[in-house]
Amino acid sequence: MKFHLVTLFQEACDAYLSASILGRAREEKKISVAYQNPRDFVENKWGKVDERPYGGGPGMVMQAMPVVKAVEKALKSKKQTKSVVIWFSPSAKQFTNKDADALIKKYTDIVLVCGRYEGIDERAKKIIKTFAPIKEFAVGEAVYTGGEVPALAIVDAVSRRLPGVLGKETSIEERRVASSAVYTRPETISYKEKNYKVPKVLQTGHHANIEAWREKQ
């Protein structure tokens, strides 16, 4: 799977995508990550990508064409035949594990557009739709400073479902019976004269009973 992030802040994304499991997946070439910065496609000497909004209002709006050209460059960087552009909007459909599975089945290249400021000129989305399919998602119900956090969440959610990224199929919690409550050694923790113990059922080795306990949890 190839991820292409259109962002003004590559350094913020790459720190996360170079660490731990995702970093190893990149090293082992199970996923690849490329960046396109809209500032590289502006026509002014200051690298300015934002302007005041028409109709008034607070903040600034990202210009359409630098974003369009960055997406075009991402799509042209590889001769991909199964690509999709992901656009983030707080009012869009919430991204789920089913959506992550669907992206894996349908596409080889995912372009994630990370907006900033008060958003991206709406015409960028209209233009991109003329040459690439777009899917709109919200990631969580909060509003973020930029699209980088939602983009990282999607890269993470998709990557961990790819064969070999987590090591074992059973490591994908949502594909097995899993509890949000997990335990490890020591068996008993003492804190302020009170003992906190691992549930007995988890120490029995009785798989059926353990699975039943996890289902209840």
Side-chain angles (χ1 to χ4, degrees), residues 16-70:
Y16 184 82
L17 298 178
S18 297
S20 189
I21 291 171
L22 295 181
R24 186 173 68 240
R26 291 174 70 180
E27 290 176 359
E28 296 175 353
K29 302 189 184 305
K30 291 183 171 64
I31 65 171
S32 69
V33 179
Y35 299 94
Q36 297 297 335
N37 191 331
R39 291 193 196 281
D40 295 336
F41 303 93
V42 298
E43 297 180 354
N44 61 76
K45 63 181 179 181
W46 305 281
K48 184 176 173 63
V49 296
D50 59 325
E51 289 288 351
R52 296 180 184 277
Y54 275 111
M60 305 290 275
V61 175
M62 286 184 69
Q63 294 175 299
M65 287 314 297
V67 174
V68 170
K69 291 178 180 179

Short mmCIF file of all heavy atoms in Angstrom, two decimals, residues 16-70:
data_model
loop_
_atom_site.label_atom_id
_atom_site.label_comp_id
_atom_site.label_asym_id
_atom_site.label_seq_id
_atom_site.Cartn_x
_atom_site.Cartn_y
_atom_site.Cartn_z
N TYR A 16 5.74 10.32 13.47
CA TYR A 16 4.87 9.22 13.87
C TYR A 16 5.01 8.02 12.93
O TYR A 16 5.09 6.86 13.36
CB TYR A 16 3.42 9.68 13.89
CG TYR A 16 2.44 8.63 14.37
CD1 TYR A 16 2.26 8.41 15.74
CD2 TYR A 16 1.71 7.85 13.47
CE1 TYR A 16 1.37 7.44 16.19
CE2 TYR A 16 0.83 6.88 13.92
CZ TYR A 16 0.66 6.68 15.27
OH TYR A 16 -0.21 5.72 15.71
N LEU A 17 5.08 8.31 11.63
CA LEU A 17 5.11 7.23 10.64
C LEU A 17 6.46 6.54 10.52
O LEU A 17 6.60 5.56 9.80
CB LEU A 17 4.68 7.78 9.28
CG LEU A 17 3.26 8.34 9.21
CD1 LEU A 17 2.96 8.91 7.83
CD2 LEU A 17 2.23 7.26 9.56
N SER A 18 7.47 7.06 11.22
CA SER A 18 8.79 6.42 11.22
C SER A 18 9.05 5.62 12.48
O SER A 18 10.11 5.01 12.62
CB SER A 18 9.88 7.49 11.06
OG SER A 18 9.76 8.15 9.82
N ALA A 19 8.10 5.64 13.41
CA ALA A 19 8.30 4.98 14.70
C ALA A 19 7.57 3.65 14.78
O ALA A 19 6.61 3.40 14.06
CB ALA A 19 7.81 5.89 15.83
N SER A 20 8.08 2.77 15.63
CA SER A 20 7.40 1.54 16.04
C SER A 20 6.98 0.68 14.84
O SER A 20 7.73 0.48 13.90
CB SER A 20 6.19 1.91 16.91
OG SER A 20 5.60 0.77 17.49
N ILE A 21 5.76 0.18 14.88
CA ILE A 21 5.27 -0.79 13.90
C ILE A 21 5.22 -0.19 12.50
O ILE A 21 5.60 -0.84 11.51
CB ILE A 21 3.89 -1.33 14.33
CG1 ILE A 21 4.06 -2.21 15.58
CG2 ILE A 21 3.23 -2.11 13.21
CD1 ILE A 21 2.77 -2.64 16.22
N LEU A 22 4.75 1.06 12.39
CA LEU A 22 4.65 1.68 11.06
C LEU A 22 6.04 1.93 10.48
O LEU A 22 6.26 1.77 9.28
CB LEU A 22 3.86 2.98 11.15
CG LEU A 22 2.39 2.83 11.54
CD1 LEU A 22 1.71 4.19 11.56
CD2 LEU A 22 1.67 1.89 10.57
N GLY A 23 6.98 2.32 11.33
CA GLY A 23 8.35 2.52 10.87
C GLY A 23 8.95 1.22 10.34
O GLY A 23 9.62 1.21 9.30
N ARG A 24 8.68 0.13 11.06
CA ARG A 24 9.19 -1.17 10.61
C ARG A 24 8.51 -1.60 9.31
O ARG A 24 9.15 -2.17 8.42
CB ARG A 24 8.95 -2.22 11.70
CG ARG A 24 9.58 -3.57 11.38
CD ARG A 24 9.47 -4.54 12.53
NE ARG A 24 8.10 -4.94 12.78
CZ ARG A 24 7.44 -4.74 13.92
NH1 ARG A 24 8.05 -4.13 14.93
NH2 ARG A 24 6.20 -5.14 14.07
N ALA A 25 7.21 -1.33 9.20
CA ALA A 25 6.49 -1.68 7.97
C ALA A 25 7.06 -0.93 6.77
O ALA A 25 7.14 -1.47 5.66
CB ALA A 25 5.01 -1.38 8.14
N ARG A 26 7.48 0.31 6.98
CA ARG A 26 8.10 1.08 5.90
C ARG A 26 9.46 0.50 5.54
O ARG A 26 9.80 0.35 4.36
CB ARG A 26 8.23 2.54 6.30
CG ARG A 26 6.91 3.27 6.41
CD ARG A 26 7.08 4.69 6.94
NE ARG A 26 7.74 5.56 5.97
CZ ARG A 26 8.01 6.84 6.19
NH1 ARG A 26 7.71 7.39 7.36
NH2 ARG A 26 8.60 7.57 5.26
N GLU A 27 10.24 0.15 6.56
CA GLU A 27 11.57 -0.42 6.31
C GLU A 27 11.47 -1.74 5.55
O GLU A 27 12.30 -2.03 4.69
CB GLU A 27 12.29 -0.64 7.64
CG GLU A 27 12.71 0.64 8.34
CD GLU A 27 13.33 0.38 9.70
OE1 GLU A 27 13.41 -0.80 10.09
OE2 GLU A 27 13.74 1.36 10.36
N GLU A 28 10.44 -2.52 5.88
CA GLU A 28 10.25 -3.82 5.23
C GLU A 28 9.46 -3.71 3.93
O GLU A 28 9.10 -4.72 3.32
CB GLU A 28 9.54 -4.77 6.20
CG GLU A 28 10.39 -5.08 7.44
CD GLU A 28 9.64 -5.92 8.46
OE1 GLU A 28 8.41 -6.15 8.27
OE2 GLU A 28 10.27 -6.35 9.44
N LYS A 29 9.13 -2.45 3.55
CA LYS A 29 8.44 -2.17 2.29
C LYS A 29 7.05 -2.80 2.20
O LYS A 29 6.57 -3.14 1.11
CB LYS A 29 9.31 -2.57 1.09
CG LYS A 29 10.66 -1.87 1.07
CD LYS A 29 11.40 -2.10 -0.22
CE LYS A 29 12.79 -1.46 -0.18
NZ LYS A 29 12.76 -0.03 0.14
N LYS A 30 6.42 -2.95 3.33
CA LYS A 30 5.02 -3.39 3.34
C LYS A 30 4.10 -2.21 3.06
O LYS A 30 3.00 -2.37 2.55
CB LYS A 30 4.67 -4.03 4.68
CG LYS A 30 5.35 -5.37 4.91
CD LYS A 30 4.92 -6.00 6.21
CE LYS A 30 5.44 -7.44 6.34
NZ LYS A 30 6.90 -7.50 6.40
N ILE A 31 4.57 -1.00 3.41
CA ILE A 31 3.88 0.23 3.04
C ILE A 31 4.94 1.24 2.60
O ILE A 31 6.12 1.10 2.94
CB ILE A 31 3.06 0.84 4.21
CG1 ILE A 31 3.98 1.29 5.35
CG2 ILE A 31 2.01 -0.13 4.71
CD1 ILE A 31 3.29 2.10 6.43
N SER A 32 4.52 2.24 1.84
CA SER A 32 5.41 3.34 1.52
C SER A 32 4.66 4.64 1.78
O SER A 32 3.43 4.70 1.68
CB SER A 32 5.88 3.28 0.06
OG SER A 32 4.81 3.54 -0.82
N VAL A 33 5.41 5.67 2.14
CA VAL A 33 4.83 6.98 2.45
C VAL A 33 5.58 8.04 1.66
O VAL A 33 6.81 8.10 1.70
CB VAL A 33 4.91 7.30 3.96
CG1 VAL A 33 4.33 8.68 4.24
CG2 VAL A 33 4.18 6.24 4.79
N ALA A 34 4.84 8.87 0.92
CA ALA A 34 5.43 9.98 0.18
C ALA A 34 4.67 11.26 0.55
O ALA A 34 3.53 11.21 1.00
CB ALA A 34 5.34 9.72 -1.32
N TYR A 35 5.33 12.39 0.35
CA TYR A 35 4.74 13.67 0.73
C TYR A 35 4.74 14.65 -0.45
O TYR A 35 5.66 14.64 -1.28
CB TYR A 35 5.52 14.30 1.88
CG TYR A 35 5.53 13.48 3.14
CD1 TYR A 35 6.58 12.60 3.40
CD2 TYR A 35 4.50 13.57 4.07
CE1 TYR A 35 6.60 11.83 4.56
CE2 TYR A 35 4.52 12.82 5.23
CZ TYR A 35 5.56 11.95 5.47
OH TYR A 35 5.59 11.19 6.61
N GLN A 36 3.70 15.47 -0.49
CA GLN A 36 3.66 16.59 -1.42
C GLN A 36 3.26 17.82 -0.61
O GLN A 36 2.25 17.79 0.11
CB GLN A 36 2.64 16.35 -2.54
CG GLN A 36 2.95 15.18 -3.45
CD GLN A 36 4.25 15.34 -4.22
OE1 GLN A 36 4.68 16.48 -4.46
NE2 GLN A 36 4.87 14.24 -4.61
N ASN A 37 4.04 18.87 -0.71
CA ASN A 37 3.78 20.10 0.02
C ASN A 37 3.17 21.14 -0.91
O ASN A 37 3.79 21.52 -1.91
CB ASN A 37 5.09 20.65 0.61
CG ASN A 37 4.85 21.78 1.59
OD1 ASN A 37 3.87 22.52 1.50
ND2 ASN A 37 5.76 21.93 2.53
N PRO A 38 1.95 21.61 -0.62
CA PRO A 38 1.32 22.62 -1.49
C PRO A 38 2.18 23.87 -1.69
O PRO A 38 2.06 24.53 -2.73
CB PRO A 38 0.02 22.96 -0.73
CG PRO A 38 -0.31 21.70 0.01
CD PRO A 38 1.03 21.17 0.45
N ARG A 39 3.06 24.17 -0.75
CA ARG A 39 3.93 25.35 -0.90
C ARG A 39 4.85 25.22 -2.12
O ARG A 39 5.31 26.23 -2.67
CB ARG A 39 4.78 25.55 0.35
CG ARG A 39 4.02 25.98 1.57
CD ARG A 39 4.97 26.46 2.66
NE ARG A 39 4.28 26.52 3.95
CZ ARG A 39 3.47 27.50 4.32
NH1 ARG A 39 3.23 28.49 3.48
NH2 ARG A 39 2.90 27.48 5.50
N ASP A 40 5.12 23.98 -2.53
CA ASP A 40 5.99 23.77 -3.69
C ASP A 40 5.31 24.11 -5.00
O ASP A 40 5.96 24.11 -6.06
CB ASP A 40 6.46 22.31 -3.74
CG ASP A 40 7.34 21.94 -2.55
OD1 ASP A 40 7.95 22.85 -1.96
OD2 ASP A 40 7.38 20.74 -2.21
N PHE A 41 4.01 24.42 -4.95
CA PHE A 41 3.25 24.65 -6.18
C PHE A 41 2.62 26.03 -6.24
O PHE A 41 1.72 26.27 -7.03
CB PHE A 41 2.17 23.57 -6.32
CG PHE A 41 2.72 22.17 -6.31
CD1 PHE A 41 2.81 21.45 -5.13
CD2 PHE A 41 3.18 21.59 -7.48
CE1 PHE A 41 3.33 20.16 -5.11
CE2 PHE A 41 3.71 20.30 -7.48
CZ PHE A 41 3.79 19.59 -6.29
N VAL A 42 3.08 26.94 -5.38
CA VAL A 42 2.56 28.31 -5.42
C VAL A 42 3.33 29.12 -6.45
O VAL A 42 4.43 28.74 -6.86
CB VAL A 42 2.65 28.98 -4.02
CG1 VAL A 42 1.81 28.23 -3.02
CG2 VAL A 42 4.10 29.08 -3.56
N GLU A 43 2.78 30.25 -6.85
CA GLU A 43 3.39 31.08 -7.88
C GLU A 43 3.88 32.41 -7.31
O GLU A 43 4.07 33.38 -8.05
CB GLU A 43 2.41 31.30 -9.02
CG GLU A 43 2.03 30.00 -9.72
CD GLU A 43 1.05 30.21 -10.86
OE1 GLU A 43 0.57 31.36 -11.03
OE2 GLU A 43 0.76 29.24 -11.58
N ASN A 44 4.05 32.47 -5.99
CA ASN A 44 4.59 33.69 -5.39
C ASN A 44 5.91 33.37 -4.69
O ASN A 44 6.16 32.22 -4.33
CB ASN A 44 3.59 34.31 -4.40
CG ASN A 44 3.26 33.36 -3.26
OD1 ASN A 44 4.05 33.17 -2.33
ND2 ASN A 44 2.07 32.74 -3.32
N LYS A 45 6.74 34.37 -4.50
CA LYS A 45 8.08 34.15 -3.96
C LYS A 45 8.09 33.90 -2.45
O LYS A 45 9.12 33.53 -1.89
CB LYS A 45 8.96 35.35 -4.28
CG LYS A 45 8.51 36.66 -3.67
CD LYS A 45 9.44 37.79 -4.08
CE LYS A 45 8.99 39.13 -3.50
NZ LYS A 45 9.89 40.24 -3.92
N TRP A 46 6.95 34.09 -1.78
CA TRP A 46 6.89 33.93 -0.34
C TRP A 46 6.44 32.53 0.09
O TRP A 46 6.45 32.20 1.25
CB TRP A 46 5.96 34.97 0.28
CG TRP A 46 6.33 36.37 -0.09
CD1 TRP A 46 7.33 37.13 0.46
CD2 TRP A 46 5.72 37.17 -1.09
NE1 TRP A 46 7.38 38.36 -0.15
CE2 TRP A 46 6.40 38.42 -1.11
CE3 TRP A 46 4.68 36.97 -2.00
CZ2 TRP A 46 6.07 39.44 -1.99
CZ3 TRP A 46 4.33 38.01 -2.87
CH2 TRP A 46 5.03 39.22 -2.86
N GLY A 47 6.02 31.71 -0.85
CA GLY A 47 5.50 30.39 -0.51
C GLY A 47 4.15 30.47 0.18
O GLY A 47 3.77 29.57 0.94
N LYS A 48 3.41 31.51 -0.09
CA LYS A 48 2.13 31.76 0.57
C LYS A 48 1.04 30.89 -0.05
O LYS A 48 0.84 30.90 -1.27
CB LYS A 48 1.76 33.23 0.43
CG LYS A 48 0.50 33.66 1.15
CD LYS A 48 0.32 35.17 1.01
CE LYS A 48 -1.01 35.64 1.56
NZ LYS A 48 -1.14 35.41 3.00
N VAL A 49 0.33 30.14 0.79
CA VAL A 49 -0.71 29.24 0.29
C VAL A 49 -2.11 29.62 0.78
O VAL A 49 -3.08 28.97 0.44
CB VAL A 49 -0.43 27.77 0.72
CG1 VAL A 49 0.85 27.25 0.10
CG2 VAL A 49 -0.39 27.65 2.23
N ASP A 50 -2.21 30.67 1.58
CA ASP A 50 -3.50 31.03 2.16
C ASP A 50 -3.88 32.47 1.83
O ASP A 50 -3.01 33.31 1.59
CB ASP A 50 -3.47 30.82 3.68
CG ASP A 50 -2.40 31.66 4.35
OD1 ASP A 50 -1.33 31.84 3.75
OD2 ASP A 50 -2.62 32.13 5.48
N GLU A 51 -5.18 32.71 1.81
CA GLU A 51 -5.71 34.04 1.56
C GLU A 51 -6.95 34.26 2.42
O GLU A 51 -7.51 33.30 2.97
CB GLU A 51 -6.09 34.20 0.08
CG GLU A 51 -4.92 34.27 -0.89
CD GLU A 51 -4.16 35.60 -0.79
OE1 GLU A 51 -4.63 36.53 -0.10
OE2 GLU A 51 -3.09 35.70 -1.42
N ARG A 52 -7.37 35.51 2.52
CA ARG A 52 -8.58 35.83 3.29
C ARG A 52 -9.80 35.22 2.62
O ARG A 52 -9.87 35.12 1.39
CB ARG A 52 -8.76 37.34 3.40
CG ARG A 52 -7.65 38.04 4.18
CD ARG A 52 -7.91 39.53 4.24
NE ARG A 52 -6.82 40.22 4.91
CZ ARG A 52 -6.71 40.33 6.23
NH1 ARG A 52 -7.65 39.79 7.01
NH2 ARG A 52 -5.70 40.97 6.77
N PRO A 53 -10.79 34.79 3.41
CA PRO A 53 -11.99 34.17 2.83
C PRO A 53 -12.92 35.19 2.19
O PRO A 53 -13.11 36.29 2.72
CB PRO A 53 -12.66 33.51 4.04
CG PRO A 53 -12.22 34.32 5.21
CD PRO A 53 -10.83 34.77 4.89
N TYR A 54 -13.47 34.85 1.05
CA TYR A 54 -14.54 35.66 0.45
C TYR A 54 -15.74 35.61 1.38
O TYR A 54 -16.05 34.58 1.99
CB TYR A 54 -14.94 35.11 -0.91
CG TYR A 54 -14.07 35.62 -2.05
CD1 TYR A 54 -13.20 34.76 -2.71
CD2 TYR A 54 -14.13 36.95 -2.45
CE1 TYR A 54 -12.39 35.22 -3.75
CE2 TYR A 54 -13.34 37.41 -3.49
CZ TYR A 54 -12.48 36.56 -4.13
OH TYR A 54 -11.68 37.01 -5.16
N GLY A 55 -16.44 36.73 1.49
CA GLY A 55 -17.62 36.79 2.35
C GLY A 55 -17.29 37.14 3.79
O GLY A 55 -18.17 37.24 4.63
N GLY A 56 -15.98 37.28 4.07
CA GLY A 56 -15.56 37.63 5.43
C GLY A 56 -15.48 36.44 6.35
O GLY A 56 -15.79 35.31 5.97
N GLY A 57 -15.10 36.69 7.56
CA GLY A 57 -14.96 35.63 8.55
C GLY A 57 -13.55 35.57 9.08
O GLY A 57 -12.62 36.17 8.53
N PRO A 58 -13.36 34.82 10.17
CA PRO A 58 -12.04 34.76 10.80
C PRO A 58 -11.08 33.85 10.05
O PRO A 58 -11.49 32.99 9.28
CB PRO A 58 -12.36 34.17 12.19
CG PRO A 58 -13.55 33.29 11.93
CD PRO A 58 -14.37 34.02 10.89
N GLY A 59 -9.81 34.03 10.29
CA GLY A 59 -8.82 33.10 9.77
C GLY A 59 -8.56 33.25 8.28
O GLY A 59 -9.02 34.17 7.62
N MET A 60 -7.80 32.29 7.77
CA MET A 60 -7.40 32.26 6.37
C MET A 60 -7.82 30.93 5.74
O MET A 60 -8.09 29.96 6.45
CB MET A 60 -5.88 32.43 6.25
CG MET A 60 -5.34 33.68 6.93
SD MET A 60 -5.80 35.20 6.09
CE MET A 60 -4.49 35.29 4.87
N VAL A 61 -7.86 30.91 4.42
CA VAL A 61 -8.29 29.72 3.68
C VAL A 61 -7.17 29.29 2.74
O VAL A 61 -6.55 30.13 2.07
CB VAL A 61 -9.57 30.01 2.86
CG1 VAL A 61 -9.95 28.82 1.99
CG2 VAL A 61 -10.73 30.36 3.80
N MET A 62 -6.89 27.99 2.68
CA MET A 62 -5.89 27.48 1.75
C MET A 62 -6.39 27.63 0.32
O MET A 62 -7.54 27.32 0.00
CB MET A 62 -5.58 26.01 2.04
CG MET A 62 -4.75 25.79 3.29
SD MET A 62 -4.31 24.04 3.54
CE MET A 62 -3.15 23.78 2.17
N GLN A 63 -5.52 28.11 -0.56
CA GLN A 63 -5.87 28.29 -1.95
C GLN A 63 -6.06 26.95 -2.65
O GLN A 63 -5.44 25.94 -2.28
CB GLN A 63 -4.80 29.10 -2.66
CG GLN A 63 -4.68 30.53 -2.16
CD GLN A 63 -3.53 31.25 -2.82
OE1 GLN A 63 -2.37 30.85 -2.69
NE2 GLN A 63 -3.83 32.31 -3.55
N ALA A 64 -6.90 26.96 -3.67
CA ALA A 64 -7.27 25.71 -4.34
C ALA A 64 -6.13 25.11 -5.17
O ALA A 64 -5.81 23.92 -5.06
CB ALA A 64 -8.50 25.93 -5.22
N MET A 65 -5.49 25.93 -6.03
CA MET A 65 -4.59 25.37 -7.03
C MET A 65 -3.33 24.72 -6.45
O MET A 65 -2.89 23.68 -6.97
CB MET A 65 -4.23 26.43 -8.07
CG MET A 65 -5.37 26.73 -9.02
SD MET A 65 -6.20 25.25 -9.69
CE MET A 65 -4.86 24.48 -10.60
N PRO A 66 -2.70 25.26 -5.41
CA PRO A 66 -1.55 24.53 -4.85
C PRO A 66 -1.93 23.13 -4.37
O PRO A 66 -1.14 22.19 -4.51
CB PRO A 66 -1.11 25.42 -3.68
CG PRO A 66 -1.54 26.79 -4.07
CD PRO A 66 -2.85 26.59 -4.78
N VAL A 67 -3.14 22.98 -3.83
CA VAL A 67 -3.60 21.67 -3.36
C VAL A 67 -3.88 20.76 -4.56
O VAL A 67 -3.48 19.59 -4.58
CB VAL A 67 -4.86 21.82 -2.49
CG1 VAL A 67 -5.44 20.45 -2.14
CG2 VAL A 67 -4.54 22.60 -1.22
N VAL A 68 -4.54 21.31 -5.58
CA VAL A 68 -4.84 20.52 -6.78
C VAL A 68 -3.55 20.01 -7.42
O VAL A 68 -3.42 18.83 -7.77
CB VAL A 68 -5.63 21.36 -7.80
CG1 VAL A 68 -5.73 20.63 -9.14
CG2 VAL A 68 -7.02 21.67 -7.27
N LYS A 69 -2.56 20.89 -7.56
CA LYS A 69 -1.30 20.50 -8.20
C LYS A 69 -0.53 19.49 -7.36
O LYS A 69 0.13 18.60 -7.90
CB LYS A 69 -0.45 21.74 -8.45
CG LYS A 69 -1.02 22.66 -9.53
CD LYS A 69 -0.18 23.90 -9.71
CE LYS A 69 -0.76 24.81 -10.79
NZ LYS A 69 0.03 26.06 -10.96
N ALA A 70 -0.63 19.61 -6.04
CA ALA A 70 0.04 18.64 -5.17
C ALA A 70 -0.59 17.26 -5.32
O ALA A 70 0.11 16.24 -5.36
CB ALA A 70 -0.04 19.10 -3.71
#
